Amino acid sequence: TQLLEQSPQFLSIQEGENLTVYCNSSSVFSSLQWYRQEPGEGPVLLVTVVTGGEVKKLKRLTFQFGDARKDSSLHITAAQTGDTGLYLCAGGAYNTDKLIFGTGTRLQVFP
Amino acid sequence: SAVISQKPSRDICQRGTSLTIQCQVDSQVTMMFWYRQQPGQSLTLIATANQGSEATYESGFVIDKFPISRPNLTFSTLTVSNMSPEDSSIYLCSVSTLGAQETQYFGPGTRLLVL
C-alpha cells in the first residue's frame, strides 16, 4: 500500500514567519501535486511537479520534488493569514490515473 | 481547468435512508472520481466513475453501499445507501482530462450529516 506521510500535522505561526511542510513516502510516484483546502470548499490545486529534483516557485510558495520521486516539500516565505488552510500532497501512481493523498497539514497563520 | 459543481452542497439525513449526490462538469472530461473526507482528515478514494460501465471501487467500498452512475462525459452521481452516522462526511468529486491525467480538479464537496 502506498502511503504519503505529511509533517507537521499541525502548524500555528505568526504572520511574516517562514515554514516548510514535508511529504514523504517509501514509494516512487510519477508526479506530485500540492493542494490547499479551505473550510467549506474542495481542494484547490497549487502545483504539479513531474520531474525528480524539480523546483517550482509560485510567488511566496516554493515546491520541490525529491530526486528519487519519493518525497516533496512546500516552503512558504513570509506567511500571510490568507495562507491558512489544509495543505495536501498527492502522488500520482504509475500506470493508473489515481492519486494517493497525503495525511494533510493544517496551517493556521495568526495576524 | 474545469468548473465542477455538486448538488446538494449539504444535507442532514436520517439513518436508513439514501442520498444521491450529483457532480456536473462544464466540459467533457476523461476521468471522474469520488472521494470521502471525514472531519479533519485527508481524502480517501471511493471509486473511479467509468462512462458507460460499472465504476471501479477501491478496497473497503462496495457497489451496494455506494452505487455510482456516469451516463456521459460531464455528469456523475454517487448514492450513499442505507446511511448510518458513520457515513457523515464530506463527499467530493474530481475530474482529470486527457493529456493531463496526473492533475485532478475538485468540486466544492457535499457535506452529509446522518442522524
Side-chain angles (χ1 to χ4, degrees):
Chain A
T1 303
Q2 293 176 300
L3 292 173
L4 273 168
E5 294 286 340
Q6 287 184 234
S7 61
Q9 188 177 359
F10 299 99
L11 193 53
S12 181
I13 61 172
Q14 294 292 127
E15 223 173 8
E17 291 184 32
N18 301 331
L19 67 115
T20 302
V21 178
Y22 298 94
C23 174
N24 294 295
S25 177
S26 58
S27 302
V28 178
F29 293 97
S30 61
S31 65
L32 205 294
Q33 287 77 39
W34 283 93
Y35 293 83
R36 179 171 67 220
Q37 185 179 24
E38 299 186 31
E41 300 180 8
V44 174
L45 179 70
L46 296 175
V47 76
T48 299
V49 285
V50 297
T51 304
E54 183 176 2
V55 177
K56 276 192 176 179
K57 292 192 175 184
L58 184 68
K59 297 184 180 178
R60 295 178 294 102
L61 277 60
T62 302
F63 306 86
Q64 183 163 10
F65 197 12
D67 291 340
R69 312 172 72 91
K70 294 182 178 181
D71 55 84
S72 180
S73 64
L74 158 60
H75 182 78
I76 300 179
T77 303
Q80 300 177 356
T81 55
D83 296 326
T84 293
L86 177 66
Y87 287 80
L88 296 160
C89 65
Y94 281 99
N95 300 318
T96 80
D97 294 308
K98 296 191 289 188
L99 291 179
I100 309 298
F101 274 84
T103 48
T105 295
R106 193 165 295 279
L107 171 65
Q108 178 75 54
V109 182
F110 290 98
Chain B
S1 64
V3 176
I4 304 157
S5 60
Q6 286 185 233
K7 288 182 183 179
S9 58
R10 59 180 65 241
D11 208 343
I12 301 174
C13 301
Q14 296 296 321
R15 68 173 67 208
T17 63
S18 297
L19 176 73
T20 296
I21 302 167
Q22 299 179 3
C23 178
Q24 179 75 55
V25 192
D26 69 339
S27 58
Q28 293 185 345
V29 294
T30 311
M31 307 294 293
M32 295 183 79
F33 305 90
W34 286 98
Y35 290 84
R36 182 172 71 186
Q37 184 178 29
Q38 308 212 300
Q41 303 294 314
S42 185
L43 277 63
T44 300
L45 181 64
I46 297 172
T48 302
N50 301 308
Q51 194 229 340
S53 65
E54 192 171 288
T56 305
Y57 290 84
E58 297 300 303
S59 175
F61 297 97
V62 295
I63 188 170
D64 290 346
K65 176 65 175 177
F66 297 101
I68 288 171
S69 79
R70 189 179 172 192
N72 56 50
L73 293 175
T74 63
F75 185 78
S76 178
T77 66
L78 167 75
T79 299
V80 186
S81 303
N82 189 24
M83 288 183 285
S84 67
E86 291 72 35
D87 295 320
S88 297
S89 196
I90 300 171
Y91 291 87
L92 294 148
C93 75
S94 74
V95 306
S96 64
T97 57
L98 190 64
Q101 290 96 322
E102 70 276 2
T103 297
Q104 292 183 21
Y105 298 95
F106 283 82
T110 295
R111 279 142 194 83
L112 172 62
L113 176 63
V114 184
L115 302 177

